[in-house]
Amino acid sequence: MKPNPKLSRPARRAVLVVHVTASASWLGLSLGLLALGTTAASDGSAVTVEASVRAMKLFADWLLIPVALLTLLSGLVLSLGTVWGLARYRWVYTKFWLTLATTTATVFALRPGVNSAVTAVAAGGPLPDAGDVLFGPVVSLSAYVFMTVISVLKPWGKTRRGKRPRPERPGLLA
């Protein structure tokens, strides 16, 4: 079996910077969405509610998806191009699946919820359901904080796949 090609040090560092920046951006966007959602859900002023949900729509439509995909892609490149691997360590595997799940939830739950809130409020009605503008940001923020913690602590050890002996790579010191 041929070992996976690894990223050179400059390439790994560049991808790592992109990944950390995109991940921090996603975390910040979620925090901003939570602040806007809380304002929309708790303020009685129709103007403030509408401004909040419209701002949420801008974030959801123009920033969340590209940042989410960049985070997912850069994480995948890092995992496949470094010794961490995608399925060798439980924390990497967990981060991958959580990132995939939150990206999917952003597309199929958060954005539609924000869009329905904007439609209702723009038509002159009240915010239909505070959960539409609060649930997504709360879940994403919780997931991103958890992923940040496991990125720093690297808990749980290797997976079964990671415990298998790896083939020797020529040129590497033991």
Side-chain angles (χ1 to χ4, degrees), residues 31-98:
L31 193 56
L33 284 169
L34 182 59
L36 289 167
T38 302
T39 301
S42 64
D43 194 287
S45 164
V47 173
T48 304
V49 172
E50 184 172 357
S52 295
V53 295
R54 284 186 183 274
M56 289 181 79
K57 182 170 172 42
L58 279 174
F59 281 10
D61 286 350
W62 294 100
L63 295 173
L64 277 177
I65 302 302
V67 167
L69 292 175
L70 186 58
T71 301
L72 186 63
L73 180 65
S74 61
L76 195 57
V77 169
L78 276 174
S79 66
L80 296 175
T82 64
V83 297
W84 294 109
L86 181 60
R88 290 189 68 222
Y89 291 87
R90 287 183 181 95
W91 70 271
V92 176
Y93 199 63
T94 301
K95 275 186 63 178
F96 171 75
W97 287 108
L98 275 174

Side-chain angles (χ1 to χ4, degrees), residues 101-113:
T102 51
T103 301
T104 303
T106 296
V107 172
F108 295 109
L110 188 138
R111 286 185 69 215

Side-chain angles (χ1 to χ4, degrees), residues 12-26 67-79 91 95 99 147 151:
R12 182 187 56 80
R13 290 174 129 188
V15 176
L16 183 60
V17 167
V18 168
H19 183 67
V20 170
T21 302
S23 299
S25 298
W26 205 2
V67 167
L69 292 175
L70 186 58
T71 301
L72 186 63
L73 180 65
S74 61
L76 195 57
V77 169
L78 276 174
S79 66
W91 70 271
K95 275 186 63 178
T99 302
M147 287 188 271
S151 293

